[in-house]
Amino acid sequence: GRPYLDSILHKNQRRVFGLLERPALPPALAAPTVPYKLFLSGKSGVGKTALVAALAGTPVPPVHHETLGIEATTVYWPAKLWASGRPVIFQLHFWD
């Protein structure tokens, strides 16, 4: 799994990808990308933005401030399926 992790890491931290970007994998390691859109809603100040920041590998905001509108964050997560043993890359679009 190290080559898949290397494609989403930069200096041992998760790379931040834009909406139109994706990890570059060599052709020998090509894996299907499975997209999911995850919408987070809830009361103000419960940690939705902090959760997305922690999963994306970005710094968690130290001070609470309300998110204006919707923040979209894309996270790539490599996984290996138990049933088939094939690697896949989950493309998680968090809408906070």
Side-chain angles (χ1 to χ4, degrees), residues 43-45 48-49 63-69 71 96:
K43 292 185 178 184
S44 177
K48 299 177 297 292
T49 302
V63 179
H64 168 70
H65 68 280
E66 244 181 80
T67 304
L68 300 174
E71 263 184 44
D96 168 31

Side-chain angles (χ1 to χ4, degrees), residues 4-52:
Y4 296 100
L5 281 176
D6 288 341
S7 71
I8 62 171
L9 295 178
H10 177 69
K11 295 183 181 176
N12 257 358
Q13 292 192 343
R14 264 187 198 275
R15 246 181 86 208
V16 177
F17 292 97
L19 289 175
L20 300 177
E21 295 179 306
R22 60 177 293 168
L25 288 169
L29 295 175
T33 302
V34 182
Y36 283 97
K37 187 183 290 186
L38 303 166
F39 178 74
L40 300 174
S41 70
K43 292 185 178 184
S44 177
V46 295
K48 299 177 297 292
T49 302
L51 172 68
V52 172

